[in-house]
Amino acid sequence: MPESPTFNVRMITPSQVAESLSIDVDEVIALIMEGRLRGARVGSPPQWRIDEASVVEYLDEQIEEARQIALWNQSNAASFPEVWGAGFTSHGV
């Protein structure tokens, strides 16, 4: 019988996520509520646990977003001659 994917899920605490991301635990909970991290309240009393894979996915998304912003900023900083070539000159026009 194939193993259920649920058994391969590693759940970590909000404080572990907060430490890894250098943010507050409240920010981790906010990321769960926004749907940017997958988490669940388990146990009695209920405590948050976060799917470790969702933290990796979140970091990948942040890296991609930063890359796109850097490319956008780089394209905005480029002058038109650098982007489009020398263009028109006043010589021989």
Side-chain angles (χ1 to χ4, degrees):
M1 179 174 215
E3 188 174 330
S4 171
T6 311
F7 295 116
N8 294 328
V9 175
R10 180 162 184 252
M11 303 297 277
I12 56 179
T13 66
S15 59
Q16 289 172 309
V17 175
E19 184 177 341
S20 295
L21 300 179
S22 297
I23 61 176
D24 294 330
V25 172
D26 291 339
E27 292 176 88
V28 173
I29 303 303
L31 289 170
I32 296 168
M33 298 301 206
E34 293 168 8
R36 298 179 79 186
L37 292 176
R38 288 186 304 276
R41 296 192 70 176
V42 296
S44 181
Q47 297 179 342
W48 281 107
R49 294 294 180 263
I50 297 100
D51 179 359
E52 185 177 45
S54 75
V55 177
V56 173
E57 292 165 10
Y58 171 76
L59 288 173
D60 288 344
E61 290 169 6
Q62 294 300 302
I63 290 168
E64 178 59 19
E65 184 178 318
R67 185 188 73 79
Q68 290 177 358
I69 290 169
L71 287 173
W72 175 257
N73 290 336
Q74 183 180 19
S75 71
N76 282 338
S79 68
F80 283 103
E82 291 170 331
V83 173
W84 302 107
F88 295 107
T89 62
S90 60
H91 309 305
V93 176

